Amino acid sequence: MAQATPGPSHRRDISVCAAQYCAVAGNIEANIARHEHFMRQAAQHQVAFLLFPELSLTGYEPSLAAQLALPPGAPCLQPLRVLARQLRMTTAVGLPVRLAGQSTVMVGALVLGADGSQALYTKQHLHEGEDAVFSPGTGGALVEVSGEPLALSVCADFTHASHAQAAARAGADIYAASVLISEAGYAKDSALLQGYAAAHPFGVLMANHGGPSGGWACAGRSAFWAPGGRLVMSAAGTGDCLVIARRQADVWEGEVLAVQAGV
């Protein structure tokens, strides 16, 4: 267990988890099965919100995004919707999204609610070169988890301070960043996320890929920082794992659990 960190006195108990995940490039069917495996293991530890990395259902594969893009209501995603409801665990998964009647593709985070609801967040800011494949999205509404508001972010979104500021103004209790961060970029990006936790009254959850994706050597080291900026828990490196942060009686604790083989 990590050293405990006190949180604001008015906050409810909550448990959130980053799924540090190694995607199978371009194979949605295999990745859905692996997502289900991660979800079941997280639910065994009473996780209320599970966050997967950017484009987790396909891997970060821009060259394949147009052919792999799905509408939010795609039938192949129904097993994930059903499982999130059965487990009573709100789950955010990453995928390239094409809305009905549109030719453009956006980077999406599909939020599968514990109550059976569904919501879509689309990445608002693109890294250099991503605009050759993706179009900017419009973000999305706060998500309620255990009675607390949670704001989503997908990768380049968090590199804009205005994005985190907007989440704070909206009253977010958790800022949940679904990312692909390489070894070369990890020090700068993790410092930025930690800085948001220090500057704003929310905790920051970051879910990174646990292995190579789209030609990038991903850093892993998914993490959670409590309000005030204290690192509660981080994965030691790469590989599949669950990074869990729990607030009980206004105290944050964390643990990292290896994801057992199964899929």
Side-chain angles (χ1 to χ4, degrees), residues 163-209:
H163 191 272
Q165 291 164 358
R169 287 195 302 269
D173 183 51
I174 303 291
Y175 185 73
S178 174
V179 305
L180 180 146
I181 298 177
S182 68
E183 286 286 351
Y186 188 86
K188 178 181 177 181
D189 288 345
S190 61
L192 192 58
L193 290 167
Q194 186 172 27
Y196 292 152
H200 302 297
F202 52 52
V204 175
L205 178 70
M206 182 266 282
N208 194 16
H209 286 260

Side-chain angles (χ1 to χ4, degrees), residues 35-127:
H35 277 59
E36 292 175 315
H37 183 61
F38 271 69
M39 290 168 70
R40 290 190 177 96
Q41 294 210 16
Q44 292 175 8
H45 298 277
Q46 292 74 55
V47 166
F49 175 73
L50 181 63
L51 177 69
F52 281 88
E54 181 181 23
L55 295 172
S56 59
L57 284 170
T58 60
Y60 184 85
E61 303 292 340
S63 65
L64 302 177
Q67 69 187 72
L68 295 175
L70 295 171
C76 67
L77 302 178
Q78 185 63 10
L80 296 179
R81 299 186 192 98
V82 170
L83 187 59
R85 185 177 67 248
Q86 289 176 342
L87 298 175
R88 303 293 300 171
M89 182 176 66
T90 298
T91 303
V93 303
L95 73 165
V97 171
R98 182 182 286 115
L99 300 179
Q102 297 187 11
S103 60
T104 56
V105 177
M106 295 177 290
V107 179
L110 193 62
V111 183
L112 311 173
D115 59 359
S117 63
Q118 179 174 290
L120 178 66
Y121 176 96
T122 51
K123 183 177 179 179
Q124 295 175 275
H125 302 281
L126 301 177
H127 285 298

